[in-house]
Amino acid sequence: MKNTMKSFGLISLIAAAVLVSGCSTNKEKTFPHGETTMHDIWRNAGGGGMQQDLMDARSVLRRSIDDSHITNQQAYTRTAANEIYSQFKRLPNPDLVMYVYPHLAGSEGAPVPGYSTVFPLYNKVQYAMPGERLEDY
């Protein structure tokens, strides 16, 4: 039993020494800093400037963006508004103008001046089926 205790103590002492020595490493020895940057490493990673050749080829293929391309594409761009208005045309719903004459309102007889109000003829908006109405209103 004494031998097993001695061997256990020896093993734990060796393990503790290994752990302590592992924590005593130097960062500069493990990860030395040089004059090269990450950009230099990335540029030279392909072996002999292969990455630079790739970047040069990409720059030739790139086109500049100008406003003329964007404005020409507006008609082809799908939005919620042009999808609804292009497929489902609104049926005409004329506005009616009503004039309310001056009057007395309420139990106190409060005077209300005359005013005009606008309201649609139909109480909800009606839409035509696709292709049903061709003219715009």
Side-chain angles (χ1 to χ4, degrees):
M1 178 127 165
K2 281 189 177 184
N3 282 342
T4 57
M5 289 299 263
K6 279 186 181 180
S7 62
F8 180 71
L10 184 61
I11 291 173
S12 62
L13 183 65
I14 292 172
V18 169
L19 288 175
V20 170
S21 67
C23 295
S24 66
T25 59
N26 187 0
K27 182 182 85 156
E28 294 300 323
K29 284 184 181 178
T30 307
F31 300 111
H33 292 280
E35 295 297 320
T36 59
T37 62
M38 285 304 293
H39 187 264
D40 295 334
I41 294 169
W42 180 80
R43 193 174 2 159
N44 297 328
M50 186 178 187
Q51 294 292 336
Q52 187 62 38
D53 294 340
L54 181 62
M55 292 299 287
D56 292 340
R58 285 182 181 166
S59 66
V60 171
L61 295 175
R62 287 195 177 128
R63 294 178 295 213
S64 64
I65 297 175
D66 55 351
D67 291 340
S68 65
H69 294 291
I70 294 171
T71 56
N72 292 340
Q73 300 299 321
Q74 289 294 339
Y76 299 105
T77 304
R78 293 176 65 172
T79 63
N82 68 13
E83 283 294 309
I84 289 173
Y85 292 131
S86 67
Q87 291 182 6
F88 300 99
K89 303 286 185 190
R90 289 180 84 161
L91 293 175
N93 189 4
D95 288 334
L96 299 178
V97 179
M98 183 179 86
Y99 180 74
V100 178
Y101 288 97
H103 61 282
L104 300 175
S107 61
E108 299 291 319
V112 177
Y115 60 93
S116 296
T117 184
V118 178
F119 58 93
L121 179 65
Y122 304 111
N123 61 355
K124 68 182 210 181
V125 177
Q126 301 289 327
Y127 293 94
M129 295 298 291
E132 188 176 2
R133 297 288 291 198
L134 299 177
E135 62 273 0
D136 290 331
Y137 292 100

